Amino acid sequence: MRPEVRTFLADGPLPDWDADEEEIDRRVKQLEAIPTPVTRNEAQALAACFGPDDCYGVAWSLLHLIETSPGPVPAVAPPGPDADDWHHTLWNRWGNHELTDEDLTR
């Protein structure tokens, strides 16, 4: 995994709307530092970094970065009823609902 991705991952999920402007700006700069495309493994790790809301649009930037991966983000099952909107959005945008069990275990 590339260092820019590891740096972003080390700070965990995106903050919510209550975060201060400096924190949000720092996370935006971290995202912008990640060269595209991301690998499938990087995309899967980044998918765990969605926060509780859209973080003033930063979550959309994260989603678009994940979508630069060469294929669907590997998953073991569809998002459950407890999953956040971002995971449902990724699942639907990748079309994972049409993948076979074999595709999901690659």
Side-chain angles (χ1 to χ4, degrees):
M1 195 168 299
R2 294 173 292 171
E4 299 89 351
V5 176
R6 284 196 308 267
T7 298
F8 186 84
L9 295 173
D11 283 345
L14 290 173
D16 62 17
W17 288 346
D18 293 333
D20 63 40
E21 190 174 336
E22 289 177 14
E23 171 69 7
I24 294 171
D25 287 345
R26 186 175 63 76
R27 296 309 300 271
V28 167
K29 288 178 183 165
Q30 287 175 334
L31 268 180
E32 290 173 345
I34 298 172
T36 58
V38 297
T39 67
R40 287 182 69 177
N41 289 340
E42 290 171 339
Q44 185 173 21
L46 289 166
C49 290
F50 289 103
D53 56 40
D54 76 348
C55 188
Y56 295 101
V58 180
W60 282 107
S61 296
L62 174 59
L63 182 117
H64 294 309
L65 177 65
I66 291 167
E67 289 180 327
T68 67
S69 171
V73 175
V76 294
D82 299 3
D84 62 42
D85 290 342
W86 295 107
H87 289 95
H88 284 281
T89 300
L90 266 177
W91 181 262
N92 290 328
R93 286 170 70 111
W94 274 117
N96 283 333
H97 53 282
E98 297 173 1
L99 295 178
T100 66
D101 288 343
E102 182 180 323
D103 293 325
L104 297 174
T105 57
R106 279 190 222 171

